[in-house]
Amino acid sequence: MPLATTADLVASARAAGRGVAAFNVITLEHAEGIVAGAERAGASVILQISENAVKFHGGHLRPVAAAAVEVARAAGVDVSVHLDHVEDVTLLHESAAAGLSSVMFDASHLDYAENVAATRAAAEWGHANGLFVEAELGKVGGKDGAHAPGVRTDPAEAAEFVAATGVDALAVAVGSSHAMVERTAALDLDLIAALVTALPVPLVLHGSSGVADDNLRAAVNAGMTKVNIGTILNVAFTGAVRDVLDGDAKVVDPRKYLRPARDEVAAVAARLASVVSGMPR
C-alpha cells in the first residue's frame, strides 16, 4: 500500500473514536514484526524511530528510516513512519528528507517558557516542511525523571501550551511511565476526558507498555488517540532470543533467534493494535 501519513492515521482514528498504536522500531526485525502483527489485526499502525534508536544506529537517521519506510510501503495495512522524542534540532531537520511524515519534538526538559519557544520553532519548521508535529508539556515519567510517577498534565496549562506552540498533538501525563516492564500503571480516565474537552488537538499516551489491555481500552474510550508502545515489544523480543540461546549453546546463525524474536513482536503488536484500534483479532 502507499505510505500513509501520521496526520491521516491520527485524524481517522480520532474521527472514529478509536486509537492508533505507534510502535517503537529499533531493528529491521522490529519493523517487520510490527507490520506483520498489524496485518494480522487488520489495523493501521505507526512505526516510530526514536532519537535514542538513531544514536544506536551510529547517529544516522536515513538508513533506519529507509528500512522502516520500505517495510511500511510493503504492508497490507496503512502504516506511517514517525520520528519520536527528538531533542536535537539538527536531527529534526533531517526528518522530512528521510521520508517521515511526523515528528515528536521533545523540549519537556526545559522550563515552560523555553519549552514553548523551542516547540513553537519546531512546529513552524515542521509545518513548513509538511510534517505533523507532536510535543510534550512538562514531564510524563521514567527515563531520567521525565514522566515521573505522580506527575499529571493540567488541562488549562495544556490548552495554553497548544495555543502558544501550534502543535498538532500533545503527549500528556495521565499516569503512565516510560520503560515499565510490568503492566501496573493506572491511568486517570477523568483527567483524559477533561483534557479531551480542553484541547483542540488529539492526545498521545506515552509509556503504554506499563498499562494493561483493559486500561488501554478505557483510555481510548475516554478520548486518547495515539498510543505509544515500545518496552513490551523488547521484553518479547529479548525473551525469545534468550530462550533460543539458553536452549542451544551451539547456535551461531542469527536467523535462528531473530526469527522467533520477530514472531513474538508480531504477536504482541497484533494484540495491542487490536486493543487500541478497537478491532477484534
Side-chain angles (χ1 to χ4, degrees):
M1 298 182 72
L3 187 65
T5 69
T6 299
D8 286 346
L9 296 187
V10 170
S12 295
R14 190 183 188 200
R18 297 176 183 251
V20 59
F23 292 103
N24 289 8
V25 169
I26 300 174
T27 70
L28 177 60
E29 289 75 23
H30 279 87
E32 292 173 335
I34 292 161
V35 167
E39 290 173 335
R40 190 181 307 168
S44 302
V45 295
I46 300 165
L47 299 179
Q48 299 195 144
I49 303 165
S50 71
E51 182 170 308
N52 283 337
V54 174
K55 290 176 181 176
F56 169 74
H57 289 286
H60 303 296
L61 171 62
R62 290 210 182 198
V64 64
V69 165
E70 290 307 314
V71 171
R73 282 187 173 135
V77 293
D78 287 328
V79 181
S80 72
V81 185
H82 169 84
L83 185 60
D84 201 39
H85 277 291
V86 177
E87 299 181 15
D88 185 338
V89 174
T90 299
L91 179 59
L92 167 71
H93 291 173
E94 294 177 12
S95 56
L100 284 62
S101 65
S102 60
V103 61
M104 187 270 180
F105 183 71
D106 188 354
S108 64
H109 56 288
L110 302 175
D111 66 29
Y112 180 81
E114 292 176 321
N115 187 352
V116 167
T119 302
R120 181 171 58 240
E124 289 172 350
W125 181 88
H127 293 158
N129 287 272
L131 296 178
F132 178 94
V133 180
E134 173 190 335
E136 180 178 308
L137 170 63
K139 302 185 181 300
V140 183
K143 301 175 182 176
D144 301 323
H147 294 6
V151 172
R152 298 291 184 270
T153 299
D154 176 75
E157 188 178 43
E160 180 183 82
F161 181 82
V162 169
T165 59
V167 296
D168 303 300
L170 189 69
V172 293
V174 293
S176 58
S177 295
H178 283 129
M180 288 184 67
V181 296
E182 295 182 352
R183 307 184 76 194
T184 57
L187 301 182
D188 188 334
L189 302 178
D190 290 338
L191 177 56
I192 293 172
L195 287 163
V196 170
T197 299
L199 300 181
V201 299
L203 304 183
V204 183
L205 182 66
H206 288 208
S208 304
S209 292
V211 183
D213 289 3
D214 287 347
N215 210 199
L216 284 179
R217 287 190 190 94
V220 171
N221 288 338
M224 194 64 66
T225 300
K226 180 172 175 278
V227 177
N228 290 12
I229 301 163
T231 300
I232 197 169
L233 298 182
N234 296 334
V235 170
F237 186 105
T238 304
V241 171
R242 186 173 286 121
D243 285 347
V244 172
L245 296 182
D246 285 350
D248 187 350
K250 294 182 179 180
V251 170
V252 294
D253 185 344
R255 290 169 293 189
K256 298 291 186 180
Y257 51 83
L258 290 179
R259 182 176 288 110
R262 183 177 59 194
D263 290 344
E264 286 300 310
V265 167
V268 173
R271 190 186 82 247
L272 291 178
S274 295
V275 167
V276 171
S277 68
M279 297 178 180
R281 280 178 58 186

